[in-house]
Amino acid sequence: MRNALIPLSLIVVACTQSDLPPEPENLCDQTGARCVNAPVRDVLAVDGDTFELQRLTDRGTERIRLRLIGWDSPETGDSAGCAAENALGQKVEARARDLFADAQTLTFKPEGLDRFGRTRAHVYLDGSHIGWLLAQDGLSKPWLSETVKPTWCD
């Protein structure tokens, strides 16, 4: 009986890991890519798919909100669609802060603005895509179509 449990646990782990999307290519590694590097200490993780870059300039503090392209994370509070999404949203906020605390450099490739005035960007922590890092913990999903948002309330 004990030997039968080991293969079953390996199957469960293998199935769970295969549900993860592949790690996205770092677009900033491409020749000629126009990307911005910032020390992680200058960036606040608002949630799992929105980040705020804060820089001191001669005019004061400049704030740039970044919206992760192609990934979605659960919302919190009134923006959450259900209690389960709110709970996941709180977890993703804490996990994003932890990832930022362990990283050195944030790199992003900006691609215009979204309808809320945030800079749409591919965002990387020490070279790894932040959406993919959060997806490893079930806290982010690829958003393949801008018209159909991933659901967190199954």
Side-chain angles (χ1 to χ4, degrees):
M1 177 74 168
R2 186 174 185 188
N3 291 336
L5 291 178
I6 292 171
L8 180 59
S9 65
L10 290 176
I11 291 170
V12 170
V13 169
C15 290
T16 303
Q17 290 177 346
S18 68
D19 292 341
L20 289 175
E23 183 172 6
E25 172 188 6
N26 186 331
L27 300 177
C28 293
D29 288 342
Q30 295 177 348
T31 303
R34 298 186 65 153
C35 295
V36 177
N37 290 316
V40 172
R41 70 175 184 275
D42 293 345
V43 184
L44 170 68
V46 176
D47 58 25
D49 52 37
T50 305
F51 314 100
E52 185 172 273
L53 174 62
Q54 300 177 32
R55 290 188 170 173
L56 290 175
T57 69
D58 56 349
R59 296 179 308 269
T61 302
E62 175 185 44
R63 289 185 166 83
I64 301 169
R65 282 239 167 167
L66 305 173
R67 173 57 172 93
L68 194 58
I69 294 174
W71 294 80
D72 185 53
S73 289
E75 306 294 338
T76 58
D78 293 339
S79 298
C82 62
E85 181 177 7
N86 184 54
L88 277 174
Q90 291 175 17
K91 287 181 183 178
V92 76
E93 288 175 6
R95 181 65 180 131
R97 281 190 217 90
D98 289 345
L99 288 170
F100 274 61
D102 293 338
Q104 298 295 311
T105 303
L106 179 128
T107 304
F108 67 94
K109 183 176 187 284
E111 293 189 9
L113 300 177
D114 71 4
R115 65 182 184 189
F116 300 109
R118 300 174 295 189
T119 299
R120 298 175 67 246
H122 300 277
V123 183
Y124 308 91
L125 284 176
D126 294 336
S128 294
H129 195 285
I130 184 69
W132 180 78
L133 292 170
L134 291 168
Q136 293 181 66
D137 297 319
L139 299 172
S140 183
K141 295 179 184 177
W143 190 346
L144 305 176
S145 165
E146 294 205 15
T147 57
V148 180
K149 185 174 173 158
T151 182
W152 297 96
C153 299
D154 292 331

